[in-house]
Amino acid sequence: MDFVAGAIGGVCGVAVGYPLDTVKVRIQTEPKYTGIWHCIRDTYHRERVFLTSPTEVAKVRLQTQTQAQKQQRRLSASGPSAVPPVCPAPPACPEPKYRGPLHCLATVAREEGLRGLYKGSSALLLRDGHSFATYFLSYAILCERLSPAGHSQPDVLGVLVAGGCAGVLAWAVATPMDVIKSRLQADGQGQRRYRGLLHCMVTSVREEGPRVLFKGLVLNCCRAFPVNMVVFVAYEAVLRLTQGLLT
Protein backbone atom coordinates (compact mmCIF):
# COMPACT_ATOMS: atom_id res chain seq x y z
CA MET A 1 0.00 0.00 0.00
CA ASP A 2 2.84 2.36 0.84
CA PHE A 3 4.50 1.56 -2.49
CA VAL A 4 1.38 2.26 -4.55
CA ALA A 5 0.50 5.40 -2.61
CA GLY A 6 4.08 6.70 -2.89
CA ALA A 7 4.21 6.01 -6.62
CA ILE A 8 0.93 7.83 -7.27
CA GLY A 9 1.99 10.73 -5.07
CA GLY A 10 5.34 10.99 -6.87
CA VAL A 11 3.72 11.00 -10.31
CA CYS A 12 1.32 13.75 -9.26
CA GLY A 13 4.21 15.80 -7.86
CA VAL A 14 6.28 15.50 -11.04
CA ALA A 15 3.29 16.48 -13.16
CA VAL A 16 2.81 19.63 -11.10
CA GLY A 17 6.46 20.60 -10.80
CA TYR A 18 8.08 19.64 -14.11
CA PRO A 19 7.64 22.94 -16.01
CA LEU A 20 9.31 24.89 -13.20
CA ASP A 21 12.00 22.20 -12.96
CA THR A 22 12.91 22.95 -16.58
CA VAL A 23 13.23 26.63 -15.75
CA LYS A 24 15.28 25.80 -12.63
CA VAL A 25 17.80 23.71 -14.60
CA ARG A 26 18.23 26.41 -17.23
CA ILE A 27 18.77 29.14 -14.65
CA GLN A 28 21.42 26.96 -12.98
CA THR A 29 23.27 26.10 -16.21
CA GLU A 30 22.83 29.25 -18.35
CA PRO A 31 24.39 32.49 -17.04
CA LYS A 32 22.49 34.55 -19.65
CA TYR A 33 19.23 34.45 -17.69
CA THR A 34 18.74 37.45 -15.42
CA GLY A 35 15.90 35.95 -13.42
CA ILE A 36 13.00 33.53 -13.24
CA TRP A 37 10.60 35.45 -15.49
CA HIS A 38 13.29 36.09 -18.10
CA CYS A 39 13.92 32.34 -18.33
CA ILE A 40 10.20 31.48 -18.41
CA ARG A 41 9.44 33.99 -21.18
CA ASP A 42 12.43 32.93 -23.27
CA THR A 43 11.65 29.22 -22.92
CA TYR A 44 7.95 29.67 -23.65
CA HIS A 45 8.49 31.85 -26.73
CA ARG A 46 10.95 29.42 -28.26
CA GLU A 47 9.61 26.01 -27.21
CA ARG A 48 6.19 26.33 -25.43
CA VAL A 49 7.81 24.14 -22.53
CA PHE A 50 7.17 20.91 -24.41
CA LEU A 51 9.55 18.61 -22.53
CA THR A 52 9.56 15.16 -20.91
CA SER A 53 12.24 12.80 -19.58
CA PRO A 54 12.46 9.81 -17.20
CA THR A 55 15.92 10.14 -15.64
CA GLU A 56 18.16 12.89 -14.34
CA VAL A 57 20.78 12.84 -17.10
CA ALA A 58 18.22 12.63 -19.91
CA LYS A 59 16.07 15.25 -18.18
CA VAL A 60 18.88 17.79 -17.93
CA ARG A 61 20.16 17.11 -21.46
CA LEU A 62 16.68 17.50 -22.93
CA GLN A 63 16.06 20.64 -20.91
CA THR A 64 19.29 22.29 -22.08
CA GLN A 65 19.80 20.99 -25.60
CA THR A 66 18.31 24.10 -27.22
CA GLN A 67 20.99 26.22 -25.56
CA ALA A 68 23.69 23.80 -26.71
CA GLN A 69 22.44 24.03 -30.30
CA LYS A 70 22.58 27.81 -30.20
CA GLN A 71 26.11 27.73 -28.79
CA GLN A 72 27.28 25.32 -31.49
CA ARG A 73 25.80 27.53 -34.21
CA ARG A 74 27.63 30.56 -32.76
CA LEU A 75 30.93 28.63 -32.70
CA SER A 76 30.51 27.43 -36.26
CA ALA A 77 29.61 30.93 -37.39
CA SER A 78 32.83 32.41 -35.95
CA GLY A 79 35.13 30.64 -38.45
CA PRO A 80 36.52 32.21 -41.62
CA SER A 81 34.06 30.40 -43.88
CA ALA A 82 31.11 31.07 -41.62
CA VAL A 83 27.66 31.50 -43.03
CA PRO A 84 25.00 33.67 -41.44
CA PRO A 85 23.71 31.88 -38.32
CA VAL A 86 20.10 32.80 -39.01
CA CYS A 87 18.17 29.98 -40.64
CA PRO A 88 16.73 31.07 -44.02
CA ALA A 89 13.73 28.81 -43.57
CA PRO A 90 12.45 26.44 -40.88
CA PRO A 91 13.51 23.26 -42.78
CA ALA A 92 17.13 24.52 -42.83
CA CYS A 93 17.35 24.72 -39.04
CA PRO A 94 19.25 21.81 -37.45
CA GLU A 95 17.22 19.08 -35.86
CA PRO A 96 17.44 18.65 -32.07
CA LYS A 97 20.22 16.25 -31.10
CA TYR A 98 17.95 14.24 -28.82
CA ARG A 99 14.54 13.14 -30.09
CA GLY A 100 13.30 11.93 -26.73
CA PRO A 101 14.32 10.32 -23.42
CA LEU A 102 15.28 6.89 -24.77
CA HIS A 103 17.13 8.36 -27.76
CA CYS A 104 18.94 10.72 -25.40
CA LEU A 105 20.06 7.88 -23.11
CA ALA A 106 21.19 5.76 -26.07
CA THR A 107 23.11 8.69 -27.59
CA VAL A 108 24.85 9.55 -24.32
CA ALA A 109 25.83 5.90 -23.80
CA ARG A 110 27.17 5.63 -27.37
CA GLU A 111 29.11 8.91 -27.36
CA GLU A 112 30.28 9.07 -23.73
CA GLY A 113 30.10 5.46 -22.59
CA LEU A 114 28.13 4.11 -19.66
CA ARG A 115 29.93 6.55 -17.37
CA GLY A 116 28.13 9.33 -19.20
CA LEU A 117 24.82 8.06 -17.86
CA TYR A 118 26.11 8.51 -14.30
CA LYS A 119 27.41 12.05 -14.68
CA GLY A 120 26.69 14.07 -11.59
CA SER A 121 25.90 10.95 -9.53
CA SER A 122 28.25 12.01 -6.73
CA ALA A 123 26.60 15.44 -6.57
CA LEU A 124 23.20 13.74 -6.69
CA LEU A 125 24.09 11.54 -3.71
CA LEU A 126 25.40 14.51 -1.75
CA ARG A 127 22.26 16.46 -2.63
CA ASP A 128 19.74 13.78 -1.76
CA GLY A 129 21.26 12.41 1.45
CA HIS A 130 20.67 15.33 3.78
CA SER A 131 17.81 16.63 1.62
CA PHE A 132 15.64 13.53 2.11
CA ALA A 133 16.59 13.37 5.78
CA THR A 134 15.35 16.95 6.17
CA TYR A 135 12.30 16.17 4.02
CA PHE A 136 10.87 13.22 5.95
CA LEU A 137 11.96 14.41 9.39
CA SER A 138 10.32 17.81 8.96
CA TYR A 139 7.17 16.22 7.51
CA ALA A 140 6.84 13.85 10.46
CA ILE A 141 7.41 16.63 13.02
CA LEU A 142 4.95 19.00 11.31
CA CYS A 143 2.29 16.28 11.00
CA GLU A 144 2.61 15.59 14.71
CA ARG A 145 2.34 19.28 15.58
CA LEU A 146 -0.60 19.87 13.23
CA SER A 147 -2.64 16.85 14.30
CA PRO A 148 -5.81 17.84 16.21
CA ALA A 149 -6.01 16.90 19.87
CA GLY A 150 -6.93 13.27 20.27
CA HIS A 151 -5.93 12.35 16.69
CA SER A 152 -2.79 10.62 15.48
CA GLN A 153 -2.90 12.20 12.01
CA PRO A 154 -3.57 15.73 10.70
CA ASP A 155 -6.52 16.62 8.53
CA VAL A 156 -6.20 17.47 4.82
CA LEU A 157 -5.16 21.07 5.53
CA GLY A 158 -2.51 19.85 7.96
CA VAL A 159 -1.12 17.44 5.35
CA LEU A 160 -1.01 20.24 2.76
CA VAL A 161 0.90 22.56 5.07
CA ALA A 162 3.26 19.84 6.36
CA GLY A 163 4.04 18.54 2.87
CA GLY A 164 4.61 21.99 1.41
CA CYS A 165 6.88 23.14 4.26
CA ALA A 166 8.84 19.87 4.20
CA GLY A 167 9.49 20.30 0.50
CA VAL A 168 10.68 23.89 0.92
CA LEU A 169 13.07 22.94 3.74
CA ALA A 170 14.45 20.00 1.76
CA TRP A 171 15.18 22.10 -1.33
CA ALA A 172 16.64 24.91 0.75
CA VAL A 173 19.45 22.58 1.88
CA ALA A 174 19.70 20.74 -1.47
CA THR A 175 20.11 23.67 -3.88
CA PRO A 176 23.94 24.08 -3.80
CA MET A 177 24.55 20.46 -4.81
CA ASP A 178 21.61 20.63 -7.21
CA VAL A 179 23.38 23.42 -9.11
CA ILE A 180 26.56 21.35 -9.40
CA LYS A 181 24.59 18.25 -10.42
CA SER A 182 22.80 20.11 -13.19
CA ARG A 183 26.04 21.59 -14.53
CA LEU A 184 27.83 18.24 -14.53
CA GLN A 185 24.93 16.51 -16.28
CA ALA A 186 24.57 19.27 -18.89
CA ASP A 187 28.32 19.14 -19.54
CA GLY A 188 29.20 17.18 -22.66
CA GLN A 189 26.89 19.03 -25.02
CA GLY A 190 29.66 20.60 -27.06
CA GLN A 191 33.01 21.28 -25.36
CA ARG A 192 33.39 19.70 -21.92
CA ARG A 193 34.31 22.11 -19.14
CA TYR A 194 34.35 20.15 -15.89
CA ARG A 195 36.65 17.31 -14.81
CA GLY A 196 34.53 16.38 -11.80
CA LEU A 197 32.46 17.57 -8.87
CA LEU A 198 35.18 19.57 -7.11
CA HIS A 199 36.45 21.13 -10.35
CA CYS A 200 32.90 22.12 -11.29
CA MET A 201 32.29 23.70 -7.89
CA VAL A 202 35.59 25.61 -7.83
CA THR A 203 35.25 26.79 -11.44
CA SER A 204 31.65 27.90 -10.98
CA VAL A 205 32.42 29.85 -7.79
CA ARG A 206 35.55 31.41 -9.29
CA GLU A 207 33.76 32.55 -12.45
CA GLU A 208 30.39 33.60 -11.01
CA GLY A 209 30.96 34.05 -7.29
CA PRO A 210 29.57 32.09 -4.30
CA ARG A 211 26.03 33.15 -5.21
CA VAL A 212 26.11 30.68 -8.11
CA LEU A 213 25.57 27.84 -5.61
CA PHE A 214 22.17 29.30 -4.75
CA LYS A 215 20.94 29.81 -8.30
CA GLY A 216 17.37 28.62 -8.50
CA LEU A 217 16.90 28.67 -4.72
CA VAL A 218 13.81 30.89 -4.82
CA LEU A 219 12.36 28.91 -7.72
CA ASN A 220 13.12 25.60 -5.98
CA CYS A 221 11.30 26.72 -2.86
CA CYS A 222 8.33 28.17 -4.79
CA ARG A 223 8.06 24.96 -6.79
CA ALA A 224 8.53 22.70 -3.77
CA PHE A 225 5.53 23.95 -1.81
CA PRO A 226 2.72 23.08 -4.29
CA VAL A 227 4.53 19.98 -5.56
CA ASN A 228 4.92 18.43 -2.12
CA MET A 229 1.44 19.48 -1.07
CA VAL A 230 0.18 17.36 -3.96
CA VAL A 231 2.64 14.52 -3.25
CA PHE A 232 1.61 14.02 0.37
CA VAL A 233 -2.11 14.64 -0.12
CA ALA A 234 -2.15 12.04 -2.91
CA TYR A 235 -0.04 9.67 -0.80
CA GLU A 236 -2.26 9.97 2.28
CA ALA A 237 -5.46 9.77 0.22
CA VAL A 238 -4.42 6.59 -1.61
CA LEU A 239 -3.12 5.04 1.61
CA ARG A 240 -6.37 5.70 3.46
CA LEU A 241 -8.46 4.53 0.49
CA THR A 242 -6.61 1.21 0.21
CA GLN A 243 -6.74 0.69 3.96
CA GLY A 244 -10.49 1.29 3.85
CA LEU A 245 -10.95 -1.19 1.03
CA LEU A 246 -8.93 -3.89 2.79
CA THR A 247 -10.65 -3.57 6.19
Side-chain angles (χ1 to χ4, degrees):
M1 289 188 293
D2 286 333
F3 177 81
V4 174
I8 293 175
V11 169
C12 292
V14 171
V16 170
Y18 197 86
L20 286 181
D21 185 64
T22 299
V23 176
K24 181 264 297 183
V25 169
R26 292 191 174 183
I27 287 176
Q28 291 175 338
T29 59
E30 294 294 324
K32 73 171 189 174
Y33 292 120
T34 58
I36 296 172
W37 289 113
H38 178 211
C39 182
I40 290 175
R41 287 196 303 269
D42 183 66
T43 301
Y44 178 79
H45 288 156
R46 287 186 292 102
E47 304 167 49
R48 299 297 187 262
V49 197
F50 189 67
L51 298 165
T52 55
S53 77
T55 65
E56 285 288 326
V57 171
K59 174 179 75 71
V60 172
R61 293 292 179 93
L62 286 169
Q63 287 172 332
T64 58
Q65 71 171 338
T66 301
Q67 306 304 322
Q69 283 181 288
K70 290 172 68 176
Q71 183 180 13
Q72 289 172 357
R73 288 202 294 269
R74 286 195 299 267
L75 290 174
S76 63
S78 62
S81 59
V83 296
V86 178
C87 297
C93 293
E95 290 291 324
K97 181 176 181 178
Y98 307 119
R99 297 192 297 269
L102 295 180
H103 180 253
C104 176
L105 292 172
T107 303
V108 171
R110 184 175 64 251
E111 295 180 352
E112 304 173 39
L114 293 178
R115 292 180 62 184
L117 298 177
Y118 293 92
K119 271 195 168 183
S121 57
S122 55
L124 182 62
L125 288 172
L126 291 174
R127 183 197 75 175
D128 285 352
H130 63 292
S131 174
F132 276 110
T134 303
Y135 185 53
F136 288 108
L137 178 62
S138 58
Y139 178 72
I141 292 173
L142 288 169
C143 279
E144 183 179 352
R145 296 289 178 87
L146 295 172
S147 296
H151 292 77
S152 60
Q153 293 178 320
D155 55 16
V156 174
L157 181 59
V159 172
L160 287 170
V161 173
C165 291
V168 170
L169 291 171
W171 275 108
V173 300
T175 294
M177 273 300 121
D178 188 54
V179 173
I180 302 304
K181 176 198 72 72
S182 295
R183 293 191 169 205
L184 287 171
Q185 291 176 334
D187 201 31
Q189 300 191 102
Q191 186 177 3
R192 295 183 186 177
R193 299 187 59 202
Y194 308 120
R195 297 192 297 270
L197 184 150
L198 186 60
H199 181 244
C200 178
M201 183 181 298
V202 172
T203 302
S204 299
V205 171
R206 184 174 64 244
E207 292 179 352
E208 302 176 50
R211 292 179 61 184
V212 70
L213 297 177
F214 299 94
K215 271 193 168 184
L217 174 61
V218 174
L219 185 57
N220 271 338
C221 292
C222 292
R223 177 176 66 101
F225 199 88
V227 166
N228 291 283
M229 284 171 58
V230 171
V231 167
F232 279 109
V233 164
Y235 170 78
E236 296 288 354
V238 173
L239 198 59
R240 293 176 188 183
L241 176 63
T242 52
Q243 286 175 342
L245 293 175
L246 294 175
T247 55

